[in-house]
Structures are given as C-alpha cells and as structure tokens.
Amino acid sequence: MTWAVLSLLLAGAGVTAAISVVSVIGGLLLGIAICGASLARSRALRGCAAVYVSFFRGVPLLVQLLLLYHALPRLGLDLPGIAAAVLGLTLCTAAYQAETLRGGFVNVPAGLIEAGRIVGMTARQIMLRVRAPIALRLTLPAVVNEAILILKASSLVSVVGVADLTRTAQNIASSNYRPIETFAAAGALYLLLNIVVGGAGAGLGRMVGRGR
Amino acid sequence: MTAPAIRLSGVCKNYGTHRAIDGVDLVVQPGEVACLIGPSGSGKSTLLRCMAFLEEHDDGLIEIAGDPLGFAPGENGRIRLPDREIARVRRSIGMVFQQFNLWPHRTALGNVSEALRFVLRLLRPAAERRAMAYLDRVGLADRAGHYPSQLSGGQQQRVAIARALALEPRIMLFDEPTSSLDPELTGEVLGVMRGLAADGMTMVIVTHEIGFAAHVAQHVVFLEQGRIALEGSASAVFRRPWNPRLARFLETYLDRGASMLIAPEQSDGA
C-alpha cells in the first residue's frame, strides 16, 4: 500500500466522516421536531409524524437515496450528489432518532414530573428542566448507536456518485487490482472512525450521566 | 378563629366506574399530625394526592387554610379555578413521595434549590444558601454534591423532605415515605419526620408504620373502601380497637412488632 493510495483513502474517510456528522446532527434536530409533533395534542401533527416515520423507516435507504438523486432534478432542484446524499441520510436518521427520543420522553417516570408540579413548576419548565434533560440522558446510548449505524450506512452514498470511503476504495481496487488489501484498509478506517464515535459517546455519557 | 389547615367535605374520586374515594369529610387542624391508615386499595394514597391536587377530585370541596383547592362552589355546581390560583393555593403544600422522585440529573443541592431558583426566582447564591440550610436540617449538608444514585434510599428520602421544606410550606403531605426503604433505613426518615412534628408542622401521613402513627399522630384516620371507617385520637383508635375491621387490619401487623402499640414508645433508631 503506497502513500498515494493511503492518502486517497484518508480523503474518502474524511468525506464519509463529514457526511455522517452533518447527517446525524441534522437528523437529531429534525428528529426533535418530529418527536415534538408526535407528542403534540393535535391529531394532524401526530398523523404527519407517524406517516413520516413509517415511510423513512419502511423504505430501504438505498432506494431512498436513488429516488432523491433522480427525483430532485425533476423538481427543478439540481443538487450535487453529495447534497442528495446528506439529505437522504438526514431524512432517514431523523425518523429513527425521533422514535428513540419519543421513547425517552414516554419513559420519564411520572413521579419525576409530579415532583415538578408539586413544587410549582409550569408545564413549560417541567418540559425544559425535567422531561427533556432526563429523556436525552435515557436516549444518549441509542443516539450513539444510531451514529455508528449511519456512519456505516453512509457507504451507500457511493451509488449517487459521492467519493466517500467505499467509493474511493472501489476506484482504487479497480485500478490496482488489489481489492483485498484495499477493502481491508477501508474496513479498518471505518472501524477506526466508529471507535472514535463510540469513545466520544462514552465520554459524553460520563459527562452527563452521573445521575444514572 | 382560624380556618383548619385542611378541610375536605364530601370529596369523591372515581377511576372510570370505580369509586376510589366515596364522600370523605375530614378536618386537619394547624399543627396537627394526621395519619391515614387502612388496607391497600382503601384510597388513602388517592385521598392524599387529592389534597395536593395531583388527582382532581370529582365531587366535593377541598379547602387549604380556608382557600378552595382546584374547584370552588359556584351557582350551578362547582367551577374550576384558574391555574394560577391553583398554583397559589398549592404553594402552602409540600409533598414527599414513596419513590422519593428526586431528579436524577441534579445533585442533592440541585434538587433542593431548583424550585427556589426557577419558581421562587431567587438568585442562585441565595437559593443555594437556603437549600444548604435545609439539607443541614435533614442531616445531609455533607452530601450536597452527590447525585441521587450516589445516596442510600434513606438519604434520598431526606433530600426529598428538604426539597419540600425549602419552599416553606404550611402543610406537609407524606405518601408512604418509608415503604420503599429497607427496614434499617426507615429510622432516619421517621426521625426527621418526628422532628418536624415536634416543631409544630401540620402533617398528613399515609403510612404502614403503625407504631409511628400510634406515637406521633394526634389524629388517626382509618380508611376502608374509599370511606372513613373510623377516626379519632391515636389513643382512641389504637389502644381500644373495638372496631372489628380495624382490629382485623391491626392484627396483620402483629407479626411485625405491633406490640409497640401497647408498649411505651421505642426508639426507631433515629
């Protein structure tokens, strides 16, 4: 493995990391909004959230990406492949993260909310100061898990022409005829990235999770 | 003449078709310690939760120091009071739960100072000073920086008591405060409660600690099927359990050392 090859793979890993980080964070923000809708009083909002979640969880990510890549130009949005990739990953992970967050909110023990009511907190204070922080702590491990899944699922964006780690490895392997070494190196880089994500998640858990 | 601390008249609470509280009239005087006892399912916790307006009573009137709680009598039946008025009346009430219900993401100090800062709007230093004073009162000043998961059950419940006391309520409600504690940890909690009673705090306590009720309560209320089956002074209720249903209920405690009822007060290890 030459330095030239390795630096190409590292550049691909950088693209993979960037796409994944943006998608997971974007998906968390969108997921919070969808979770809010699914806990809302309005039936219409709850219905929209349910339809969104069932679509993005029910259709394979590969199909979603291909659909976005081909459908967006028809709608007059001529996005580069990388934008379609980030959009697709974000929309998909948002559905999973919304469900995870909803589970966290629903599982905040009723007694902790009553403790807020009895000391005179308003509904808004209970949401912001009791329910949300406890729900986030309950869901943190699942969000880290989701980040790892997205990092790996991002390999699918190679089908829409994005030069991520997987696509770069494919290109290299088809020119140097050493697929085993090349894909082994790519796999090692994915593993390394995910070890970093897992470690960051564990650190974050220690930081916020002393109360659990 | 001052109004009673708590007055219930004809209070009812239904869960679906089940009538959990069935027309309870009860008066608790300022400075009085009242214990609610009775078999499980008799409605004692529900009644206490109604007094805190955590459950909304379906009929009847609850007054806290003369002010109606939640609902006031109107011309055509009762009217629901606005949330602000409910919050104002409820400010007289502190409550301690069976499961402590401390917020796991806040330290002991954070649990006690939270409402001081965000409900009473005290500045952080003032709120924390006051919170420390109340943690000290329950003997836990040295645990201020600990999270609930780092405290024993008895310590958690004492923090919960400090959290309620810090808001300086006129009435403290206790919902089976020692039921989820190991026996050797109940003493420290009962000791704090005994101190409160000695200071003249008005208290309503749902408890299975019959010995504690017999020695600390002035007023004992025996509930059965959502109704008051018997009430009176502790000595009237316990020393002469002439009521056959109460006698049967108390018999279930004989195995658990209810001989305390007849013997003079023993230390709970406080």
Side-chain angles (χ1 to χ4, degrees):
Chain A
M1 181 132 313
T2 65
W3 279 113
V5 165
L6 192 61
S7 69
L8 280 175
L9 284 177
L10 284 173
V15 171
T16 288
I19 290 176
S20 304
V21 166
V22 173
S23 301
V24 167
I25 292 173
L28 180 63
L29 297 177
L30 185 58
I32 288 171
I34 296 163
C35 169
S38 71
L39 296 170
R41 238 173 257 171
S42 145
R43 267 181 99 104
L45 277 177
R46 288 205 308 267
C48 289
V51 168
Y52 181 97
V53 168
S54 84
F55 176 80
F56 283 98
R57 285 202 313 187
V59 175
L61 179 57
L62 183 57
V63 174
Q64 290 176 32
L65 286 169
L66 288 168
L67 201 56
L68 265 176
Y69 184 62
H70 293 289
L72 284 177
R74 288 280 180 91
L75 299 171
L77 277 168
D78 210 358
L79 292 178
I82 193 157
V86 168
L87 190 62
L89 284 172
T90 301
L91 293 176
C92 176
T93 185
Y96 285 94
Q97 296 196 50
E99 276 304 279
T100 306
L101 285 170
R102 200 172 64 89
F105 271 97
V106 169
N107 284 321
V108 172
L112 301 183
I113 295 164
E114 284 183 349
R117 287 172 64 198
I118 198 73
V119 298
M121 288 189 190
T122 61
R124 193 186 144 80
Q125 286 176 323
I126 289 173
M127 176 52 87
L128 291 177
R129 305 202 57 83
V130 178
R131 291 187 73 186
I134 294 171
L136 284 176
R137 275 163 180 75
L138 290 175
T139 50
L140 185 68
V143 169
V144 171
N145 209 28
E146 177 66 13
I148 289 173
L149 286 174
I150 282 298
L151 208 139
K152 292 187 294 181
S154 74
S155 64
L156 295 174
V157 304
S158 56
V159 300
V160 293
V162 175
D164 74 326
L165 180 51
T166 301
R167 180 60 174 259
T168 305
Q170 281 173 331
N171 291 343
I172 293 168
S174 64
S175 62
N176 69 1
Y177 305 110
R178 301 171 94 164
I180 293 173
E181 285 166 42
T182 312
F183 286 116
L189 284 173
Y190 273 112
L191 183 60
L192 206 65
L193 285 175
N194 271 330
I195 287 171
V196 171
V197 171
L204 207 60
R206 268 195 302 278
M207 228 167 72
V208 301
R210 276 173 297 182
R212 268 285 157 200
Chain B
M1 178 181 147
T2 57
I6 303 173
R7 181 201 291 279
L8 311 185
S9 350
V11 170
C12 295
K13 174 71 192 173
N14 306 318
Y15 291 116
T17 57
H18 172 65
R19 176 149 279 205
I21 302 292
D22 190 7
V24 166
D25 301 303
L26 178 67
V27 170
V28 179
Q29 297 297 346
E32 193 173 83
V33 176
C35 282
L36 307 182
I37 61 169
S40 64
S42 59
K44 45 196 195 308
S45 280
T46 304
L47 190 62
L48 194 80
R49 291 167 57 79
C50 285
M51 294 180 197
F53 209 61
L54 288 176
E55 304 284 348
E56 300 191 8
H57 48 294
D58 294 305
D59 201 4
L61 182 63
I62 300 179
E63 287 167 289
I64 305 296
D67 293 323
L69 176 67
F71 298 94
E75 281 165 27
N76 314 305
R78 57 184 197 159
I79 44 170
R80 195 179 198 279
L81 295 167
D83 287 350
R84 286 186 60 156
E85 173 64 8
I86 293 170
R88 187 189 70 81
V89 175
R90 196 149 61 177
R91 203 158 294 167
S92 310
I93 296 168
M95 185 158 175
V96 172
F97 301 89
Q98 180 179 351
Q99 298 297 337
F100 328 135
N101 293 349
L102 293 180
W103 298 306
H105 59 302
R106 296 269 183 264
T107 60
L109 184 67
N111 266 278
V112 181
S113 60
E114 179 83 5
L116 300 176
R117 290 174 62 195
F118 298 100
V119 178
L120 299 191
R121 305 254 169 227
L122 296 184
L123 291 177
R124 187 171 179 162
E128 291 189 342
R129 253 197 320 277
R130 183 148 140 195
M132 278 306 292
Y134 280 96
L135 281 176
D136 192 39
R137 173 152 180 196
V138 299
L140 289 173
D142 59 332
R143 293 286 187 277
H146 287 55
Y147 284 85
S149 59
Q150 300 167 320
L151 299 171
S152 72
Q155 289 170 335
Q156 288 186 56
Q157 192 60 297
R158 283 148 67 200
V159 172
I161 293 173
R163 175 171 71 179
L165 287 178
L167 292 159
E168 301 181 343
R170 287 197 271 180
I171 300 163
M172 284 284 283
L173 307 178
F174 293 84
D175 189 4
E176 302 199 24
T178 57
S179 295
S180 47
L181 295 176
D182 291 338
E184 71 268 25
L185 299 178
T186 59
E188 58 187 86
V189 171
L190 294 178
V192 169
M193 292 169 64
R194 194 174 280 124
L196 278 177
D199 290 348
M201 175 64 82
T202 308
M203 297 158 75
V204 182
I205 306 165
V206 171
T207 188
H208 292 289
E209 299 281 343
I210 298 297
F212 177 83
H215 292 121
V216 179
Q218 284 99 44
H219 186 168
V220 174
V221 179
F222 176 58
L223 281 166
E224 213 177 37
Q225 291 173 353
R227 296 190 196 133
I228 294 181
L230 187 65
E231 73 171 313
S233 70
S235 54
V237 172
F238 286 131
R239 316 263 160 166
R240 233 163 24 89
W242 48 270
N243 178 307
R245 286 173 303 179
L246 175 64
R248 209 178 314 126
F249 173 68
L250 290 179
E251 242 168 48
T252 65
Y253 284 90
L254 283 177
D255 292 342
R256 294 193 250 158
S259 55
M260 270 193 290
L261 296 179
I262 299 122
E265 177 161 11
Q266 294 174 355
S267 167
D268 288 305

